[in-house]
């Protein structure tokens, strides 16, 4: 095919996909159609923007896959911090759905020094709505200290009614922190705030900044940090260790000669939250959920930060080199050794599977970073991404996405169940990669599906035997 033929073919595909979007939108009433058309587009090569609107309230009545601010704070950012107890302050229903739903793996003794899979709720009743829950919250914190004395702190994750009735969780938390001599962090993440879980991420980040930075400043001043800062210290931020993926990233970084002094927040601890600002470099995995704290670290301590991508051999090698470039020749040499060590292993996988997958197509719809970060991993296997979109992205996420996708890729923001199903019916991808809410719809359509939020389950996971460098296989 000549260049001109290829260009004309691409232009025809762009127009074809734009017509598809118009056809799908024609099913809506005019008002809804005008709102939704802003969120759907076809990417064109050479443009630095996907051309979709994002971070806007969902259209009432459509089936959206978004979560709320409470889900973003408790379920994503704070929940994986293993040695803190996270109280879902409000009715039991919200708390139930946040209970260990994301497979945030951790090492520790559950109920003794780790609490990630345990559920703590103030279980609001009608009388609490009428008279307030401040006294009840105080009592719960007191009981937690008796029942679980090895906890290293408490967070209060507020649900919708708390903001509506005006419970003073800040005053309760401040008083309780003095009584138990541990951090008690109030988080104003009522579900009705913002348009999705994204604002919950931001609120959670701000709470981390306001309650953990002062602890670092004090420990540094008093020379009581739990680590001795070193030249190769890094903080791994925005990785929630879903299925053990933060451990995999940590293994690579440590083999390069770096020391991971903080994981925020998968398999993370209060000490690591405090140690984070002592790092020489912040490495952020999920840009959307924790870029806020990276910016705060930069502003407060002048700490550099960078986004990295450890999905697929091509991007893993590129990211290893980008990270190593921030350090000296020793780390750069180690980086090349790590790449060489695993290239043979990864090539064997590609040699086995790529011939069977070459030319296949996939459509993505996920949250966080995966709608763009996993694109090169699919391409390594010979699979082309023909559609991708985010549940709760902002405009800067879509700008970053243009660096990953090809022309004629369909882009959808906060896609509705109807839209996604119609796009899939037309595009006929060989695989759909999305979340649990979409999984069974497409499986019933006879399409292969991969769960991309909490990952599909497997028999074994890699678990660290100690904090630094030794890892063992652990049965789930």
């Amino acid at each position: 095919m000549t260049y001109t033929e290829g260009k004309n073919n691409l232009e025809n595909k762009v127009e074809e996909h734009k017509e598809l979007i118009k056809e799908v939108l024609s099913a809506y009433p005019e008002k809804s159609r005008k709102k939704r058309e802003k969120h759907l587009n076809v990417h064109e090569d050479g443009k630095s923007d996907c051309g979709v609107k994002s971070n806007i309230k969902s259209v009432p009545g459509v089936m959206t896959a978004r979560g709320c601010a409470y889900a973003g704070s408790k379920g994503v950012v704070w929940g994986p911090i293993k040695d803190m107890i996270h109280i879902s302050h409000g009715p039991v229903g919200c708390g139930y759905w946040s209970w260990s739903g994301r497979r945030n793996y951790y090492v520790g003794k559950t109920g003794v020094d780790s609490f990630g899979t345990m559920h703590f709720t103030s279980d609001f009743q009608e009388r609490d709505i009428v008279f307030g829950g401040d006294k009840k919250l105080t009592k719960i914190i007191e009981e937690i200290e008796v029942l679980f004395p090895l906890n290293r702190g408490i967070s209060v994750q507020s649900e919708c009614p708390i903001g509506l009735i005006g419970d003073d969780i800040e005053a309760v938390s401040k008083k309780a922190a003095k009584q138990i001599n541990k951090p008690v962090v109030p988080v104003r993440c009522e579900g009705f705030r913002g348009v999705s879980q994204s604002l919950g991420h931001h609120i959670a980040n701000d709470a981390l900044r306001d309650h953990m930075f002062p602890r670092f400043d004090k420990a540094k001043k008093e020379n009581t940090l739990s680590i001795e800062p070193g030249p190769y210290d890094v903080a791994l931020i925005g990785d929630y260790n879903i299925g053990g993926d933060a451990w995999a990233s940590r293994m690579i970084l440590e083999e390069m000669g770096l020391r991971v002094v903080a994981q925020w927040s998968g398999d993370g601890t209060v000490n690591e939250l405090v140690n984070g600002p002592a790092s020489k470099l912040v490495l952020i995995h999920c840009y959307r959920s924790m870029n806020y704290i990276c910016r705060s670290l930069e502003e407060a301590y002048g700490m550099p930060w960078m986004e990295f991508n450890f999905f697929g051999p091509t991007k893993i090698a590129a990211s290893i080199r980008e990270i190593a470039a921030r350090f000296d020749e020793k780390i750069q040499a180690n980086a090349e050794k790590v790449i060489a060590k695993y290239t043979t292993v990864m090539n064997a996988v590609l040699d086995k599977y790529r011939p069977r997958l070459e030319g296949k197509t996939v459509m993505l719809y996920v949250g966080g970073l995966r709608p763009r970060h996993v694109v090169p991993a699919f391409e390594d296997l010979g699979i082309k991404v023909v559609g991708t979109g985010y549940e709760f992205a902002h405009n800067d996420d879509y700008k970053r996405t243009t660096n990953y996708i090809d022309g004629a890729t369909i882009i959808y923001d906060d896609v509705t169940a109807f839209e996604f199903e119609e796009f899939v019916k037309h595009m006929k991808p060989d695989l759909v990669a999305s979340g649990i809410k979409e999984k069974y719809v497409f499986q019933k359509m006879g399409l292969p599906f991969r769960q991309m939020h909490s990952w599909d389950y497997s028999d074994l996971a890699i678990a660290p035997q100690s904090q630094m460098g030794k890892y063992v296989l652990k049965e789930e």
Side-chain angles (χ1 to χ4, degrees):
M1 182 184 295
T2 66
Y3 170 77
T4 302
E5 289 173 333
K7 184 177 180 182
N8 289 339
N9 185 44
L10 183 60
E11 289 174 352
N12 290 338
K13 277 194 172 184
V14 169
E15 291 306 313
E16 177 189 335
H17 293 168
K18 286 184 176 180
E19 286 301 315
L20 170 61
I21 291 174
K22 289 180 182 178
E23 181 183 331
V24 172
L25 288 173
S26 67
Y28 287 131
E30 183 180 1
K31 186 176 180 180
S32 297
R33 182 168 65 249
K34 286 182 177 179
K35 286 184 176 180
R36 283 303 303 157
E37 66 184 4
K38 299 174 183 177
H39 299 266
L40 307 172
N41 200 15
V42 181
H43 177 60
E44 299 178 54
D45 280 340
K47 292 193 175 181
S48 60
D49 196 307
C50 289
V52 297
K53 298 292 184 182
S54 58
N55 199 33
I56 297 173
K57 185 178 179 181
S58 300
V59 175
V62 304
M63 291 292 288
T64 177
R66 283 174 163 177
C68 66
Y70 162 78
S73 176
K74 201 281 182 184
V76 177
V77 177
W78 280 97
I81 301 170
K82 64 184 180 183
D83 60 354
M84 289 185 75
I85 288 176
H86 309 287
I87 301 172
S88 292
H89 191 35
V92 68
C94 296
Y96 173 81
W97 290 111
S98 75
W99 179 15
S100 187
R102 297 191 77 213
R103 298 174 65 233
N104 305 108
Y105 284 2
Y106 59 87
V107 174
K109 190 70 174 176
T110 300
V112 178
D113 59 3
S114 300
F115 311 94
T117 53
M118 298 184 71
H119 174 42
F120 297 83
T121 177
S122 54
D123 188 24
F124 255 49
Q125 304 296 316
E126 185 176 346
R127 63 179 178 273
D128 301 311
I129 300 295
V130 176
F131 297 108
D134 290 358
K135 292 181 180 179
K136 190 174 192 178
L137 179 59
T138 299
K139 183 65 174 176
I140 288 170
I141 294 172
E142 291 172 353
E143 289 180 354
I144 283 172
E145 277 303 291
V146 174
L147 294 171
F148 306 100
L150 296 185
N151 80 79
R152 298 297 302 273
I154 294 170
S155 78
V156 180
Q157 307 287 324
S158 53
E159 298 171 18
C160 284
I162 306 308
L164 296 173
I165 66 175
D167 260 14
D168 193 349
I169 62 172
E170 290 82 8
V172 172
S173 299
K174 186 175 181 179
K175 183 177 179 181
K178 291 181 179 178
Q179 290 177 337
I180 66 175
N181 196 30
K182 297 175 184 176
V184 180
V185 183
V187 190
R188 283 284 178 187
C189 56
E190 293 88 356
F192 57 74
R193 295 181 182 273
V195 301
S196 71
Q197 60 263 54
S198 181
L199 185 59
H201 303 150
H202 198 160
I203 292 168
N205 279 225
D206 288 350
L208 281 168
R209 175 198 65 202
D210 295 342
H211 291 269
M212 295 302 163
F213 285 12
R215 289 180 173 272
F216 167 77
D217 295 336
K218 181 181 179 182
K220 185 178 180 182
K221 183 179 180 181
E222 297 175 354
N223 199 28
T224 56
L225 280 173
S226 61
I227 60 166
E228 184 67 35
Y232 303 129
D233 292 348
V234 296
L236 182 56
I237 285 184
D239 197 320
Y240 306 106
N241 206 35
I242 299 169
D245 50 5
W247 291 334
S249 297
R250 185 169 185 150
M251 288 169 66
I252 292 172
L253 296 171
E254 289 176 347
E255 284 194 63
M256 291 170 60
L258 302 174
R259 182 172 70 154
V260 180
V261 297
Q263 285 182 202
W264 293 17
S265 56
D267 195 33
T269 64
V270 172
N271 263 346
E272 288 178 275
L273 296 177
V274 174
N275 292 338
S279 309
K280 296 297 183 292
L281 175 68
V282 170
L283 301 173
I284 182 168
H285 179 63
C286 181
Y287 172 87
R288 181 71 276 134
S289 62
M290 294 199 82
N291 75 88
Y292 316 102
I293 200 71
C294 293
R295 298 177 195 279
S296 295
L297 286 164
E298 184 177 36
E299 292 169 5
Y301 305 105
M303 189 178 300
W305 58 280
M306 62 173 286
E307 185 180 20
F308 72 101
N309 182 351
F310 275 1
F311 287 106
T314 299
K315 278 297 178 182
I316 291 174
S319 289
I320 287 175
R321 290 189 172 108
E322 288 174 23
I323 294 166
R326 302 292 189 105
F327 294 93
D328 59 22
E329 292 180 357
K330 173 186 173 182
I331 300 299
Q332 292 169 25
N334 288 347
E336 295 303 323
K337 291 177 184 177
V338 171
I339 292 170
K341 174 183 176 181
Y342 290 108
T343 294
T344 303
V345 177
M346 291 189 286
N347 283 345
V349 174
L350 294 180
D351 291 343
K352 179 178 180 179
Y353 291 105
R354 182 159 183 141
R356 297 157 60 183
L357 298 172
E358 192 78 52
K360 302 294 185 183
T361 58
V362 62
M363 294 186 76
L364 309 172
Y365 179 54
V366 211
L369 71 156
R370 280 151 288 186
R372 64 179 181 272
H373 271 203
V374 299
V375 172
F378 279 113
E379 291 176 342
D380 286 337
L381 291 167
I383 302 173
K384 180 175 176 59
V385 176
V386 295
T388 190
Y390 300 80
E391 293 178 6
F392 47 82
H394 294 205
N395 288 340
D396 50 354
D397 291 298
Y398 284 106
K399 287 181 179 178
R400 283 172 163 77
T401 304
T402 61
N403 299 321
Y404 289 87
I405 57 177
D406 295 328
T409 303
I410 299 177
I411 307 296
Y412 29 80
D413 175 71
D414 186 27
V415 72
T416 69
F418 166 74
E419 292 162 2
F420 198 22
E421 190 171 337
E422 290 299 307
F423 289 149
V424 169
K425 285 178 181 177
H426 178 87
M427 299 297 292
K428 296 181 175 60
D430 299 290
L431 175 70
V432 177
S434 189
I436 193 67
K437 296 173 185 175
E438 295 78 34
K439 180 174 184 175
Y440 300 104
V441 172
F442 296 113
Q443 284 188 339
K444 288 177 180 178
M445 289 170 63
L447 282 169
F449 186 95
R450 290 303 290 176
Q451 213 281 82
M452 297 289 286
H453 286 285
S454 294
W455 310 123
D456 285 292
Y457 290 81
S458 56
D459 294 330
L460 295 171
I462 297 174
Q465 204 171 32
S466 68
Q467 277 297 97
M468 294 298 295
K470 295 182 180 179
Y471 296 82
V472 293
L473 284 174
K474 178 192 76 170
E475 290 190 14
E476 289 188 7

